[in-house]
Amino acid sequence: MKTSPDTHIPLEGYAPGDQDEMLIRAQAFHNSMRTRRSVRHFSSRTVYSDVIENCVATAGLAPSGANHQPWFFACVKAAEKKRQIREAAEAEERAFYEGKAGEEWLDALAPIGTDADKPYMETAPWLICIFAQRRGGAEAGEDRKNYYIHESVGIATGLLIAACHQAGLATLVHTPNPMNFLNEICGRPKTEKPYLILVVGYPAGDAVVPKHALKRKAIADILKIM
Ligand code: IYR
C-alpha cells in the first residue's frame, strides 16, 4: 500500500470505545432495524424534501468502486410523474403476473399476497428512482468508466433504507422488469441503468404486513465464525 502526506490524511471520526459500549450500540441498532418492514399501504401525508434529501445524503456516503459513486436518486413527488411511473410499472407487473413469472416464482410470492395493482405508487409522497451509472467518475461531470456499479448501488440502497427507517419512514423496494421507462420519465441518460424504485412515506394507519415477512433466519443459519 502506497501512502504519502500528499495523497493521504489521518483517519478521523472513529472514537475508540470499549467493546461493552460497542455491544450496546450494535444491539441498539439491531433492535431499531428489527422493526423495518416492506410496507405496501402508505398514507398520503407529505414528507418534506429535506427529510428525503438527508436520507439520500446518507446513501451517498456508501463505499463504491474507485469511489466513483455511480448512483443517482431521482426523487419524484409530482403527482403526474408518480401516475406515469405507476402506469408503466403496472403494465410490466400485469405481464409478470399473467405468465412471465412462471409457476415457481408465483408460488414463492403467494404468501406475500402481491398482485399487479400498485396504488401505493401514487398514494405515497415519494418514489425514489435509483439509477446505476455505467459511466461517470469520482467528480461530478466526469465521463470515465465506473466499476462494480451493482454492488455499489446495492450498498447505497441499503444505507438509504436504513436511513429512512431510522427517520421513521416506511419503504418498499419495487422492481418492475424491465423499467427503462424510468429514464424517460425521470429525464436520465441511457448510460444510467434503472436499479430500483424505493417507495417512501408514512405507513397507512391500517397498514398490514404479511406474516411471511416476519420469518427471520436464526443467526446460526446466516453466520459462521471460523
Ligand atoms: N415485482 C412484482 C413481483 C414481486 C417479486 C418479488 I422477488 C417480491 O419479493 C415481491 C414482488 C411486484 O412488485 O408485485
Side-chain angles (χ1 to χ4, degrees):
M1 169 102 198
K2 280 191 218 122
T3 71
S4 82
D6 287 345
T7 56
H8 290 69
I9 58 161
L11 174 69
E12 284 177 6
Y14 285 76
D18 77 65
Q19 294 194 28
D20 294 336
E21 176 63 21
M22 267 183 199
L23 183 58
I24 287 166
R25 288 191 193 197
Q27 287 170 333
F29 190 63
H30 172 70
N31 270 332
S32 106
M33 289 308 293
R34 275 170 63 136
T35 56
R36 187 208 58 80
R37 300 278 175 266
S38 292
V39 172
R40 295 180 178 83
H41 307 97
F42 284 84
S43 152
S44 60
R45 186 170 169 190
T46 304
V47 172
Y48 301 141
S49 309
D50 287 358
V51 177
I52 299 301
E53 202 174 306
N54 275 277
C55 293
V56 170
T58 296
L61 300 175
S64 64
N67 192 32
H68 282 198
Q69 303 153 64
W71 40 65
F72 192 87
F73 302 86
C75 301
V76 177
K77 66 168 182 170
E80 175 54 20
K81 281 207 185 298
K82 286 195 295 179
R83 194 192 61 73
Q84 289 172 9
I85 294 170
R86 173 188 177 180
E87 211 163 83
E90 284 184 337
E92 293 303 341
E93 296 297 4
R94 273 191 292 276
F96 175 86
Y97 284 98
E98 283 166 17
K100 240 173 92 178
E103 205 184 323
E104 187 174 8
W105 197 342
L106 291 181
D107 204 45
L109 293 179
I112 306 176
T114 51
D115 58 26
D117 296 330
K118 308 294 176 194
Y120 50 77
M121 298 189 82
E122 285 189 84
T123 318
W126 292 96
L127 299 178
I128 304 183
C129 304
I130 306 177
F131 293 85
Q133 300 177 318
R134 295 186 189 90
R135 299 195 61 82
E139 314 248 5
E142 282 187 309
D143 183 30
R144 307 172 68 181
K145 184 173 159 41
N146 285 337
Y147 306 95
Y148 296 103
I149 64 172
H150 296 101
E151 292 83 349
S152 305
V153 180
I155 296 166
T157 299
L159 291 189
L160 177 59
I161 292 169
C164 287
H165 182 70
Q166 167 73 15
L169 287 168
T171 58
L172 177 70
V173 169
H174 185 47
T175 52
N177 181 27
M179 54 181 162
N180 299 324
F181 58 83
L182 282 183
N183 291 68
E184 169 90 25
I185 297 172
C186 299
R188 301 307 302 169
K190 286 204 179 70
T191 49
E192 293 187 359
K193 187 175 163 35
Y195 184 72
L196 58 78
I197 303 169
L198 194 70
V199 186
V200 183
Y202 284 86
D206 58 356
V208 294
V209 292
K211 288 182 184 167
H212 179 73
L214 302 178
K215 289 183 189 166
R216 295 290 184 218
K217 288 184 181 170
I219 193 70
D221 294 323
I222 64 167
L223 167 145
K224 177 181 172 187
I225 291 175
M226 285 161 269

